[in-house]
Amino acid sequence: MTSIRDIAKYAGASVTTVSRVINNSGYVSAATRFRVEQAIADLAFTPSASARRMRSGSSRMVGVVLPALDVPFFGILAHVIERELFRRGLQALICCTDESADQEAQYISMLLSQQVDGVLAASVLEDSAQYQRLVDAGVPIVAIDRALPGLSVKRVAADHHLGGRMMAEHLLGLGHRRFAVIGAPQHSPPVQARVQGAVQRLAEAGLGAQVVLGPAHDFDACRALAAGILTGGERPTALIGTTDIAAIGAVHAAIGAGLSVPWDISVIGFDDLPESRYVLPALTTVAQPLREIGTQAVAQLVAQMAGEEITLPDLPLRLVLRDTTAPPC
Amino acid sequence: MTSIRDIAKYAGASVTTVSRVINNSGYVSAATRFRVEQAIADLAFTPSASARRMRSGSSRMVGVVLPALDVPFFGILAHVIERELFRRGLQALICCTDESADQEAQYISMLLSQQVDGVLAASVLEDSAQYQRLVDAGVPIVAIDRALPGLSVKRVAADHHLGGRMMAEHLLGLGHRRFAVIGAPQHSPPVQARVQGAVQRLAEAGLGAQVVLGPAHDFDACRALAAGILTGGERPTALIGTTDIAAIGAVHAAIGAGLSVPWDISVIGFDDLPESRYVLPALTTVAQPLREIGTQAVAQLVAQMAGEEITLPDLPLRLVLRDTTAPPC
DNA sequence: TTGTACGCGTTATCAG
DNA sequence: CTGATAACGCGTACAA
């Protein structure tokens, strides 16, 4: 590796001067600066991040802990976060936990040893003992979407409970009386909040709902889940999906069962992913501002890294009317 | 920061001993080992990755350069790669270039300064001068999907040209005679190869095709592209989408134009993303083994990092018959 | 088996 | 304006 000392020798200057040129700090004569820059170009020199970190204590890296990248929701979130960090000269260290507590713990050890300047986490952990280690090390943390139970860290997330209410509200307004809530993944607190919100709103209208949740959040699993409740005689006229994927599965199940959507049965989703428009008929859904969640989380974290306090604007939900909901016949 | 020296003092041992305990190297008496481990636990010590890297020269990090994470194709690829690296004790440093040559160059400087042990790249660059810098620094590189022009690095990718031929072949076999190839992004070499393969196969059958490509690869853009060629009197009876997203857009355009799929018009896609099953009717497509591409790329890179040579198995394409193709009427 | 001392590449401090 | 030097945390010859 060519080091700052090689540059100094080559340019006939001292290491101090070279450092000054690189970091634009202190005074350097134009002539010296030129010689040093020449040397840097000639020898294709790149400063060592490790050495810098060792001196400064700061790595300019941020840990981004997510359950996955291969599902659109987290893919989009990761993308926004990565871009937003890059824009600020920060490097994302993306960690896919695969919903495994064990791996999440390993990742946290790694983030600690990398001396990341901050952490953004959509955690799957029940207790936050692992994250406590980061807190103890003085690393700022911001929770995304899912909370970090027992830790007093800020959380950037949409109001999932309200989202559940909005889904129910829309179908109620259309005149539906027989509901089912279906979807996955059942272990996800945001999903649970949505279910709770929907059930609560229905209860306020004096109505109950069949709730069917599963562990797996793929298309097939969700379709099977929905298919299971479409057989009985007293089948629901309205299906509330916990997510867009769940709702898309439900639409397929309904059509597969010979029902017409939305005339025989209405379906609503949550998220408003690009995918929601791929189904035919296109999915009615409650949109959460996913990209804004990423942006705000980064803004919040960066503020905390600078020791500042900021208040973020609300993250509004929005009903997106498309073609899978209609009054019952 | 608590360092190896603090542990030594606390445990009443030397730094050497502590280092040996941490790295499981050399002889340490059971009693000493226990005291040291105790100390590490008590003081919540984590070895500094920077200091290690500085000594060893190896960072155990791998740069992963991708155009984006918010499109399913690259989201899935990134996921597989990240998991596969983690399994081998390597940390992925994911870099989203947003299809910008400028940012890609910045990322490469960063990877150089981080002293990554290897790089996996799906590059957007026309020339590979930037990657030459990595080569010069002795960093192993493996190209994924897209090639690195002018560089003699291994590339892990499906045979896109053949994929194009397979799409044409299937529709030809069904009896179609009037074709259009539509989709995006036109600047992507794999997409170009697919188009070329399809056109070539059609030419072999003595047939031409209308080719309509656009720069933007989102659903709306692709749907608009397809809608544009559905209006004339002599409209095609078969649409070849450059990707699944393009094909999904085409299905929507066709249905929006009052056509029935597959009876009035057939549509075929490429990739076999989960999304291809969301449309109704479900999309017929040519599957590329996306996850296997990620796995093989990592295997190849790791081999190169170890100075080994390996030969990878083929990456077979597969026609997936679903509901958007049928003989013309 | 254990301990001492040095060097990895930077930057901050202080002296010139 | 420029230069010498110490220090960051770790691993490893070498010495004991």
Side-chain angles (χ1 to χ4, degrees):
Chain A
M1 269 301 295
T2 139
S3 90
I4 202 176
R5 240 173 312 245
D6 302 320
I7 303 299
K9 200 164 297 176
Y10 187 93
S14 72
V15 291
T16 316
T17 306
V18 176
S19 175
R20 275 200 277 256
V21 170
I22 293 168
N23 303 299
N24 274 318
S25 61
Y27 297 96
V28 181
S29 75
T32 312
R33 155 163 278 126
F34 181 78
R35 288 206 322 281
V36 171
E37 276 164 354
Q38 198 60 246
I40 289 174
D42 287 0
L43 303 183
F45 165 75
T46 316
S48 150
S50 342
R52 283 187 155 163
R53 184 177 325 168
M54 195 136 120
R55 280 278 328 162
S56 68
S58 153
S59 64
R60 305 294 297 161
M61 295 203 294
V62 168
V64 180
V65 183
L66 299 171
L69 287 174
D70 60 353
V71 297
F73 181 87
F74 288 112
I76 294 171
L77 194 57
H79 184 85
V80 175
I81 290 172
E82 203 279 347
R83 304 287 47 227
E84 208 61 26
L85 288 172
F86 179 80
R87 212 166 59 72
R88 295 171 151 93
L90 263 14
Q91 177 61 39
L93 216 48
I94 296 178
C95 309
C96 290
T97 59
D98 252 353
E99 311 267 354
S100 141
D102 197 52
Q103 296 194 35
E104 189 158 348
Q106 285 186 56
Y107 271 122
I108 289 176
S109 295
M110 186 277 291
L111 294 176
L112 239 15
S113 86
Q114 293 289 355
Q115 298 179 112
V116 291
D117 291 351
V119 169
L120 253 20
S123 171
V124 61
L125 266 34
E126 296 294 315
D127 82 308
S128 301
Q130 294 302 325
Y131 286 92
Q132 185 61 49
R133 294 165 62 200
L134 288 165
V135 173
D136 292 344
V139 180
I141 304 174
V142 170
I144 307 181
D145 197 40
R146 312 184 184 185
L148 252 25
L151 244 53
S152 69
V153 302
K154 294 237 180 167
R155 168 170 172 235
V156 177
D159 185 339
H160 295 290
H161 189 86
L162 174 63
R165 292 186 62 95
M166 287 171 70
M167 291 193 277
E169 181 78 36
H170 170 61
L171 294 166
L172 241 18
L174 250 23
H176 288 275
R177 315 293 293 169
R178 291 207 308 279
F179 292 86
V181 180
I182 72 119
Q186 65 193 151
H187 59 81
S188 156
V191 164
Q192 288 163 11
R194 262 136 41 197
V195 172
Q196 210 179 28
V199 168
Q200 187 191 69
R201 182 63 189 82
L202 293 176
E204 287 171 16
L207 266 19
Q210 194 176 352
V211 178
V212 186
L213 301 178
H217 186 226
D218 57 297
F219 173 73
D220 283 316
C222 291
R223 189 179 48 184
L225 230 46
I229 60 163
L230 257 24
T231 48
E234 274 289 288
R235 62 166 172 73
T237 64
L239 253 34
I240 295 176
T242 55
T243 64
D244 281 347
I245 304 299
I248 291 170
V251 170
H252 279 250
I255 290 174
L259 269 24
S260 109
V261 177
W263 310 118
D264 291 331
I265 191 164
S266 285
V267 180
I268 189 169
F270 186 92
D271 275 340
D272 193 32
L273 300 174
E275 280 71 7
S276 62
R277 307 175 56 205
Y278 297 173
V279 230
L280 267 164
L283 189 69
T284 292
T285 191
V286 171
Q288 65 170 319
L290 183 46
R291 290 179 185 265
E292 206 175 335
I293 289 173
T295 316
Q296 285 197 13
V298 172
Q300 176 66 246
L301 182 68
V302 169
Q304 286 187 30
M305 281 163 41
E308 291 163 14
E309 280 290 329
I310 60 168
T311 328
L312 266 4
D314 268 0
L315 291 164
L317 297 173
R318 191 169 47 85
L319 178 67
V320 179
L321 292 172
R322 287 200 276 254
D323 311 321
T324 53
T325 52
C329 29
Chain B
M1 270 302 295
T2 137
S3 92
I4 202 177
R5 241 178 311 252
D6 302 320
I7 303 299
K9 197 164 297 173
Y10 187 93
S14 74
V15 290
T16 318
T17 307
V18 176
S19 175
R20 276 202 276 260
V21 170
I22 294 169
N23 303 301
N24 274 319
S25 62
Y27 297 97
V28 182
S29 74
T32 313
R33 156 162 276 125
F34 181 78
R35 287 207 322 280
V36 171
E37 275 164 353
Q38 198 59 248
I40 289 175
D42 287 359
L43 303 183
F45 166 74
T46 317
S48 150
S50 343
R52 284 186 152 166
R53 183 175 325 168
M54 198 133 115
R55 284 251 1 131
S56 68
S58 154
S59 63
R60 305 294 299 161
M61 297 203 293
V62 168
V64 181
V65 183
L66 299 172
L69 288 175
D70 60 353
V71 297
F73 181 86
F74 288 112
I76 294 171
L77 194 56
H79 184 86
V80 175
I81 290 172
E82 203 278 347
R83 302 285 52 222
E84 209 60 24
L85 289 172
F86 180 80
R87 211 165 61 71
R88 295 172 151 91
L90 262 13
Q91 177 62 38
L93 216 46
I94 296 178
C95 308
C96 290
T97 59
D98 251 354
E99 310 269 352
S100 141
D102 198 53
Q103 295 193 36
E104 190 159 346
Q106 285 185 58
Y107 271 121
I108 289 177
S109 296
M110 186 277 291
L111 294 176
L112 240 14
S113 85
Q114 293 288 354
Q115 297 178 114
V116 290
D117 292 350
V119 170
L120 253 20
S123 171
V124 61
L125 266 33
E126 295 294 316
D127 81 309
S128 301
Q130 295 302 324
Y131 285 92
Q132 186 59 51
R133 295 165 61 200
L134 288 165
V135 173
D136 292 344
V139 180
I141 304 177
V142 170
I144 308 181
D145 197 40
R146 312 184 184 185
L148 253 25
L151 245 53
S152 69
V153 303
K154 294 239 181 166
R155 169 171 172 233
V156 177
D159 185 339
H160 296 290
H161 188 86
L162 174 62
R165 292 185 63 93
M166 287 171 71
M167 293 193 276
E169 182 79 36
H170 170 61
L171 294 166
L172 240 19
L174 251 23
H176 288 275
R177 314 293 294 170
R178 290 206 308 280
F179 293 86
V181 180
I182 72 122
Q186 63 193 152
H187 59 80
S188 156
V191 164
Q192 288 163 12
R194 259 130 49 193
V195 172
Q196 213 179 26
V199 167
Q200 187 189 71
R201 181 65 190 82
L202 293 176
E204 287 171 15
L207 297 169
Q210 194 177 354
V211 178
V212 186
L213 301 178
H217 186 225
D218 57 296
F219 173 73
D220 284 315
C222 291
R223 188 178 50 183
L225 230 46
I229 61 161
L230 258 24
T231 49
E234 275 290 288
R235 62 167 172 72
T237 64
L239 254 33
I240 296 176
T242 55
T243 64
D244 281 346
I245 304 299
I248 292 170
V251 170
H252 279 252
I255 290 175
L259 268 25
S260 108
V261 177
W263 310 117
D264 292 331
I265 191 164
S266 285
V267 181
I268 190 169
F270 186 92
D271 275 341
D272 192 32
L273 300 174
E275 281 70 8
S276 62
R277 307 176 57 202
Y278 298 173
V279 230
L280 269 166
L283 189 69
T284 292
T285 191
V286 170
Q288 65 170 319
L290 183 47
R291 290 180 186 265
E292 207 175 336
I293 289 174
T295 315
Q296 286 197 12
V298 172
Q300 177 64 247
L301 183 68
V302 169
Q304 287 187 29
M305 282 165 37
E308 293 164 13
E309 280 291 329
I310 59 168
T311 328
L312 266 5
D314 267 359
L315 292 163
L317 296 173
R318 191 170 46 87
L319 178 67
V320 180
L321 292 172
R322 286 200 277 253
D323 311 322
T324 54
T325 53
C329 27

